[in-house]
Amino acid sequence: AQSVTQLDSHVSVSEGTPVLLRCNYSSSYSPSLFWYVQHPNKGLQLLLKYTSAATLVKGINGFEAEFKKSETSFHLTKPSAHMSDAAEYFCVVSEGTGRRALTFGSGTRLQVQP
Amino acid sequence: ETGVTQTPRHLVMGMTNKKSLKCEQHLGHNAMYWYKQSAKKPLELMFVYNFKEQTENNSVPSRFSPECPNSSHLFLHLHTLQPEDSALYLCASSPQLGRSRLNEQFFGPGTRLTVL
């Protein structure tokens, strides 16, 4: 079975400072991992994905995430936050087996202060 | 039109009404999904279709009735809803189930449903 835990429900940073959104996963197989972003009243947009290639994955808008198997983590980072980064972020795991396909974390709301 | 579209974007209905939500994907995908997103709750998977066949019903009440006439279209028929069904309903599609590299889901903008 697969599961994902987002360790912070809310994160607040100042504009121009680094962003760290934490995610831990559990999977019986070699998983694929995703980060999605949702801006207010919008659907979810894929930020980046890991599918067993390079462990450091670069995504859109300057975000990146590192897959660490030993720590079962897939934390999302950005060197310098922008006001437009304020949104909800979801960490997602997929084992690629069975019918459920994706398991979503509970989300982390990122606030960016001017 | 590109990606995944959903209509209507907003819907207000009474508890005795019957309405339908529509989702259409223009990506050539074979799997489609309905999700419910309520305030302060995790995203809830409702239904999954793969090659037009329903593969998952996540204990959804029968007042929600999905329909997938082909791989590009997905409907959610609503009747005798309750106020607690008010939420954002999201549709998504992916290439197909069962292969992790193809599990990336593409989401529509959602339908904001309010049940009075």
Side-chain angles (χ1 to χ4, degrees):
Chain A
Q2 58 193 27
S3 66
V4 59
T5 301
Q6 292 184 242
L7 299 166
D8 307 292
S9 59
H10 288 86
V11 170
S12 182
V13 301
S14 298
E15 191 175 20
T17 64
V19 176
L20 170 64
L21 305 184
R22 299 182 295 166
C23 172
N24 286 108
Y25 70 91
S26 172
S27 174
S28 303
Y29 303 91
S30 296
S32 295
L33 293 157
F34 308 83
W35 276 99
Y36 282 85
V37 61
Q38 185 179 30
H39 291 276
N41 299 312
K42 302 284 188 183
L44 278 73
Q45 180 187 17
L46 182 69
L47 269 182
L48 50 80
K49 62 181 178 181
Y50 166 78
T51 56
S52 77
T55 56
L56 182 62
V57 181
K58 295 188 183 298
I60 62 172
N61 300 334
F63 284 94
E64 62 181 38
E66 186 171 7
F67 174 71
K68 292 187 176 180
K69 187 175 181 179
S70 61
E71 299 176 11
T72 61
S73 69
F74 190 58
H75 301 333
L76 181 70
T77 60
K78 182 174 181 177
S80 176
H82 191 272
M83 295 298 290
S84 61
D85 295 327
E88 184 124 24
Y89 292 79
F90 295 91
C91 182
V92 183
V93 63
S94 169
E95 292 181 339
T97 61
R99 298 179 174 187
R100 173 154 289 236
L102 298 185
T103 298
F104 283 77
S106 54
T108 298
R109 182 161 298 280
L110 176 65
Q111 287 184 307
V112 182
Q113 309 290 343
Chain B
E1 290 271 22
T2 58
V4 181
T5 58
Q6 290 186 244
T7 54
R9 293 293 308 278
H10 300 272
L11 178 63
V12 179
M13 59 187 289
M15 289 190 285
T16 58
N17 292 158
K18 290 185 180 181
K19 297 286 185 183
S20 296
L21 310 185
K22 178 182 176 183
C23 175
E24 184 173 1
Q25 58 94 2
H26 309 269
L27 300 168
H29 291 167
N30 294 300
M32 296 188 77
Y33 312 77
W34 278 117
Y35 289 89
K36 177 183 178 182
Q37 188 176 36
S38 305
K40 300 181 180 180
K41 290 179 69 175
L43 202 64
E44 300 173 60
L45 178 65
M46 300 175 72
F47 301 103
V48 181
Y49 280 81
N50 195 39
F51 292 95
K52 301 188 299 178
E53 298 299 319
Q54 187 180 120
T55 59
E56 184 159 353
N57 175 339
N58 196 24
S59 302
V60 180
S62 60
R63 57 185 183 270
F64 295 90
S65 175
E67 178 190 1
C68 188
N70 54 62
S71 292
S72 299
H73 294 86
L74 184 65
F75 296 89
L76 188 63
H77 304 300
L78 316 172
H79 66 97
T80 60
L81 294 192
Q82 305 298 311
E84 60 264 29
D85 297 322
S86 298
L88 182 68
Y89 288 84
L90 292 165
C91 173
S93 71
S94 69
Q96 66 182 73
L97 288 183
R99 298 177 63 181
S100 63
R101 293 176 186 272
L102 300 179
N103 273 345
E104 175 184 341
Q105 291 184 11
F106 294 78
F107 284 80
T111 295
R112 174 70 61 187
L113 174 67
T114 302
V115 182
L116 301 176

